[in-house]
Amino acid sequence: MGRMTARDRRDQILAAAIGLFAENGFRGTTTKQLAAGAGITEPVLYRHFKTKGDLYAAIIEQKAQEGLSQAAKQLGPYLGGDDDEGFLTALAELIVDCYHQDPAYVRLLLFSALERHELSDLFFERHVLAFYQMVGGYLRRRMREGAIRQLDPNLAARLFLGMIHHHSLVGALFGEKIVRASRKTFVRELVQTFLGGVASNRGDGRARAESYHDELDSGALPASPLLDRLFEAGDRGGQHRG
């Protein structure tokens, strides 16, 4: 077997370090453990990374590049378009899959936030802030185009991302004991609920009325005088605004 190249050795160290940092945190992991985990001596470790902080920063950059590359692949086709459902579905699937496929990354993110060491701000900037800027930017553009009602785009991003992360984090920490829905069902219902709340008001009342009366005519809904009055009032309000 040939001698390992410097690049391969570096990748080996990073892979071992990710697991150790995810298990013990930054402060709870020693350079001795990092060297042993990679199957090398501490002098060899220092040859590639001068400090433990340099190694942790390299992990942050590697994970950031992997995350941004995957986000570009899955979300890129939607960023300049008007398929809100497609964009939000791809976004939700990306995050849910991260929790299932890369739990070490999730633990790193949690440890970084909880320990508040000197590199936690870098983790936030490269992983959290970059994502908010991308999602908030999309929502801001769609607000300008009138497809989404006016609100703080960062708040809208927080609302959507928060629902995904809470669901995924609870499942990762405790197992899913409350919401027993498939990944596909969860993502679909989440996206539809969010879009229903932020959709532009223009024409919404008329669309809901048409949907209600269609279901009423088909027998899917019982007759409701109260709903009739509400939709009639909504129609009149829409006509006045028009």
Side-chain angles (χ1 to χ4, degrees):
M1 184 176 180
R3 184 178 178 181
M4 188 174 291
T5 65
R7 179 58 182 268
D8 288 341
R9 178 71 72 187
R10 187 176 188 276
D11 290 342
Q12 179 191 37
I13 295 171
L14 286 172
I18 288 172
L20 287 167
F21 282 134
E23 186 66 29
N24 305 312
F26 179 79
R27 293 194 177 95
T29 303
T30 66
T31 53
K32 183 177 181 179
Q33 289 173 318
L34 290 166
I40 58 176
T41 63
E42 285 187 82
V44 174
L45 175 66
Y46 288 127
R47 199 177 301 154
H48 292 271
F49 301 97
K50 293 182 179 180
T51 67
K52 185 171 71 170
D54 288 344
L55 174 54
Y56 196 85
I59 291 174
I60 293 175
E61 289 300 326
Q62 182 189 67
K63 285 295 183 182
Q65 289 302 319
E66 290 176 359
L68 291 174
S69 175
Q70 190 64 29
K73 179 180 178 181
Q74 291 185 226
L75 305 179
Y78 300 99
L79 285 177
D82 58 3
D83 184 358
D84 300 328
E85 183 175 353
F87 171 74
L88 294 173
T89 297
L91 174 61
E93 290 176 343
L94 178 68
I95 297 173
V96 171
D97 287 345
C98 177
Y99 276 87
H100 287 284
Q101 298 172 9
D102 196 0
Y105 163 76
V106 177
R107 291 181 62 89
L108 276 174
L109 187 60
L110 292 174
F111 265 122
S112 176
L114 292 171
E115 290 184 315
R116 297 302 299 170
H117 53 73
E118 62 272 16
L119 290 170
S120 61
D121 287 341
L122 178 61
F123 213 126
F124 176 83
E125 178 183 335
R126 300 292 282 127
H127 292 256
V128 180
L129 187 58
F131 224 73
Y132 265 88
Q133 289 172 336
M134 176 181 62
V135 178
Y138 177 91
L139 295 173
R140 183 179 295 108
R141 176 177 62 81
R142 295 296 287 147
M143 289 175 197
R144 287 199 304 264
E145 294 170 351
I148 295 176
R149 66 183 178 87
Q150 294 297 317
L151 70 159
D152 182 344
N154 288 327
L155 173 59
R158 170 68 61 84
L159 293 171
F160 185 73
L161 295 172
M163 289 190 289
I164 307 169
H165 282 293
H166 175 76
H167 172 81
S168 300
L169 184 58
V170 168
L173 292 176
F174 307 109
E176 193 46 76
K177 302 174 182 178
I178 301 174
V179 179
R180 301 186 184 278
S182 67
R183 167 183 174 274
K184 183 177 181 180
T185 298
F186 166 73
V187 169
R188 183 184 69 245
E189 295 299 325
L190 171 73
V191 170
Q192 291 300 322
T193 299
F194 180 78
L195 285 177
V198 301
S200 172
N201 290 330
R202 293 184 298 183
D204 283 358
R206 187 173 295 107
R208 288 195 299 271
E210 291 174 354
S211 175
Y212 164 69
H213 287 300
D214 286 345
E215 292 191 43
L216 188 63
D217 291 341
S218 69
L221 285 177
S224 170
L226 176 59
L227 284 177
D228 282 334
R229 289 198 298 273
L230 287 173
F231 281 124
E232 288 170 4
D235 282 344
R236 288 196 298 271
Q239 290 168 3
H240 292 319
R241 285 194 301 271

